[in-house]
């Protein structure tokens, strides 16, 4: 049963200052129910405006019991109902207005875990498999020749799958590399970009690895959504850093 959050965005205060706790304490309190939660996740939810802790004069976050309760509610809606942040925000706002909300059927939690343990999880049979294209199709999509593609592969910018095909993201990479090449950027110039992408992918993998190993099958399934969310944030951060760096250099 959902509890109405009494803290959160715009309400990061507590009746007694001695009840405020640090982000590390919040992490320890939440991990009993959410073993996969991280400090980065809590900071992300704050950055999205879903929770707003107090700040000390030194800039340290201080969370009230209402903030912790609100975070737990957010994490339950993500874990048990797979709701995107936009929908979660709308639900929280409705609860704050005293309205009732309708959530999808819950299948996690103690009862859901028991059911999951009794019934082995299997992938959805009708889930589509990502389509692959051949080398000729990739050359046509990127509008380049065999020599250029071979050079991209030699620098690790393009990597075929085990079956020799290429997925949709590889097609996107090929088109972008081709477009950059028209500005004089050669594959050797893009090695640093590829190395940075590999490092970012490694960071994402560190965060989602505990989700994929979790005993709850729904938590393992949630790893895919978390991976996409982290990847999108990483892309936004990279774009913002490039824009900031260009702004500093040209102003």
């Amino acid at each position: 049963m959902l509890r109405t959050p009494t803290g959160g965005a715009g309400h990061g205060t507590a009746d007694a200052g001695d009840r405020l706790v640090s982000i590390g304490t919040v992490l320890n309190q939440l991990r009993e129910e959410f073993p996969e939660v991280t400090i980065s996740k809590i900071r992300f939810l704050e950055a999205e405006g879903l929770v707003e802790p107090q700040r000390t004069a030194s800039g340290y976050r201080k969370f009230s019991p209402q903030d912790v309760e609100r975070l737990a509610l957010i994490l339950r809606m993500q874990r048990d109902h797979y709701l995107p942040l936009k929908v979660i925000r709308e639900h929280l706002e409705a609860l704050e207005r005293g309205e009732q909300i309708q959530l999808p059927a819950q299948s996690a939690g103690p009862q859901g875990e028991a059911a999951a343990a009794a019934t082995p999880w299997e992938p959805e049979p009708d889930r589509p498999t990502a389509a692959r294209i051949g080398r000729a199709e990739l050359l046509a999509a990127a509008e380049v020749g065999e020599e250029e593609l071979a050079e991209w592969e030699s620098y690790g910018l393009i990597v075929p799958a085990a079956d020799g095909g290429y997925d949709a993201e590889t097609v996107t990479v090929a088109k972008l590399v081709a477009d950059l090449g028209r500005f004089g950027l050669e594959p050797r110039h893009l090695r640093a970009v590829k190395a940075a992408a590999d490092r970012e992918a490694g960071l994402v993998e560190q965060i989602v690895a505990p989700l994929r190993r979790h005993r709850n099958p729904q938590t393992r399934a949630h790893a895919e959504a978390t991976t996409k969310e982290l990847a999108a944030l990483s892309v936004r951060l990279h774009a913002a850093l490039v824009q900031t760096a260009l702004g500093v250099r040209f102003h």
Side-chain angles (χ1 to χ4, degrees), residues 56-182:
T56 66
S58 303
Y60 292 102
R61 297 172 178 84
K62 289 295 182 180
F63 294 80
S64 70
Q66 292 79 15
D67 292 327
V68 179
E69 182 180 358
R70 186 181 178 94
L71 283 168
L73 178 59
I74 293 168
L75 293 172
R76 289 189 197 104
M77 284 195 280
Q78 285 190 316
R79 180 196 64 191
D80 300 343
H81 306 284
Y82 301 100
L83 297 180
L85 293 183
K86 179 181 178 181
V87 176
I88 290 176
R89 182 179 291 105
E90 293 172 352
H91 285 332
L92 293 175
E93 292 172 351
L95 288 172
E96 289 176 346
R97 293 191 299 268
E99 301 173 4
Q100 293 185 344
I101 61 174
Q102 184 68 39
L103 295 175
Q106 180 175 346
S107 55
Q111 295 180 348
E113 287 188 8
T119 305
W121 175 83
E122 296 180 357
E124 297 178 9
D126 58 347
R127 184 173 182 176
T129 303
R132 298 192 186 280
I133 65 173
R135 194 174 186 86
E137 289 82 1
L138 178 61
L139 292 172
E143 299 180 351
V144 296
E146 176 65 41
E147 184 177 346
E148 288 175 287
L149 179 56
E151 185 179 13
W152 297 349
E153 290 178 330
S154 70
Y155 282 96
L157 299 173
I158 299 294
V159 180
D163 59 4
Y166 302 89
D167 58 24
E169 287 303 319
T170 302
V171 175
T172 301
V173 171
K175 290 181 177 179
L176 290 171
V177 172
D179 289 341
L180 289 169
R182 297 184 181 100

Side-chain angles (χ1 to χ4, degrees), residues 160-220:
D163 59 4
Y166 302 89
D167 58 24
E169 287 303 319
T170 302
V171 175
T172 301
V173 171
K175 290 181 177 179
L176 290 171
V177 172
D179 289 341
L180 289 169
R182 297 184 181 100
F183 289 89
L185 288 173
E186 301 177 8
R188 59 188 177 88
H189 298 138
L190 302 177
R191 285 183 298 183
V193 178
K194 178 63 165 62
D198 289 341
R199 288 193 295 269
E200 291 174 18
L203 290 174
V204 172
E205 179 60 30
Q206 289 180 25
I207 295 174
V208 301
L211 298 179
R212 290 173 174 163
R213 295 194 299 266
H214 200 274
R215 64 187 180 88
N216 185 343
Q218 293 204 349
T219 300
R220 295 197 300 270

Side-chain angles (χ1 to χ4, degrees), residues 15-21:
D15 294 335
D18 58 358
R19 299 182 65 194
L20 300 177
V21 297

